[in-house]
């Protein structure tokens, strides 16, 4: 599972974004190498997800509800993802119903192409 950290470095999060950048690179490389065999490679990259870890983090603040709202306000729909929404996305991408090939979905909803690599020799 990639995340918004695959696209943006957020201060104070090292080494988490290093791993997420690596997953994005792995997905892109596998997508290119496996495309000729008809193998689709996708990786969901959700933003903030309302997990127990997030709830525990908000509870470290004097006003947990205000911190939760601040998190929501950082996202255009003024809400964050739920674990089941991420799971449904992963199941869809793994299904034959997913039309995306050689693409990845950015956390802001845009679909970006995986650029073709020209191999030497």
């Amino acid at each position: 599972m990639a995340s918004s950290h695959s696209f943006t470095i957020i201060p104070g999060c090292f080494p988490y974004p290093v791993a997420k950048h690596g997953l994005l690179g792995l997905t892109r490389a596998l997508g290119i190498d496996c495309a000729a065999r008809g193998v689709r490679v996708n990786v969901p990259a959700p933003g903030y997800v309302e997990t127990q870890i997030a709830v525990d983090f908000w509870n470290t603040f004097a006003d947990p509800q205000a911190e939760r709202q601040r998190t929501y306000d950082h996202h255009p729909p003024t809400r964050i993802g739920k674990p089941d929404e991420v799971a449904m996305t992963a199941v869809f991408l793994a299904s034959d119903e997913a039309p995306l090939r050689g693409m990845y979905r950015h956390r802001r909803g845009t679909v970006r192409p995986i650029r073709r690599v020209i191999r030497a020799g």
Side-chain angles (χ1 to χ4, degrees):
M1 182 73 56
S3 79
S4 57
H5 290 264
S6 301
F7 307 98
T8 306
I9 299 295
I10 300 170
C13 294
F14 181 82
Y16 187 75
V18 174
K20 297 306 176 177
H21 275 78
L23 283 173
L24 185 59
L26 175 66
T27 302
R28 293 176 75 184
L30 284 172
I32 290 167
D33 284 351
C34 297
R37 293 186 297 266
V39 176
R40 181 178 54 241
V41 182
N42 291 295
V43 63
Y48 218 104
V49 178
E50 195 162 340
T51 62
Q52 188 61 51
I53 291 171
V55 171
D56 292 345
F57 172 71
W58 293 324
N59 287 337
T60 65
F61 291 85
D63 186 348
Q65 189 56 38
E67 187 60 24
R68 179 187 296 248
Q69 189 59 51
R70 190 179 75 77
T71 302
Y72 289 1
D73 292 343
H74 280 292
H75 295 78
T78 63
R79 65 180 286 276
I80 62 174
K82 305 282 186 199
D84 61 326
E85 294 170 327
V86 176
M88 288 185 297
T89 300
V91 168
F92 170 74
L93 289 174
S95 77
D96 289 334
E97 300 299 315
L100 302 175
R101 284 180 172 66
M103 309 290 273
Y104 65 91
R105 186 168 296 278
H106 187 268
R107 69 185 169 99
R108 293 189 179 130
T110 58
V111 177
R112 298 183 178 188
I114 294 176
R115 291 180 179 81
R116 184 160 186 77
V117 173
I118 300 172
R119 296 191 175 108

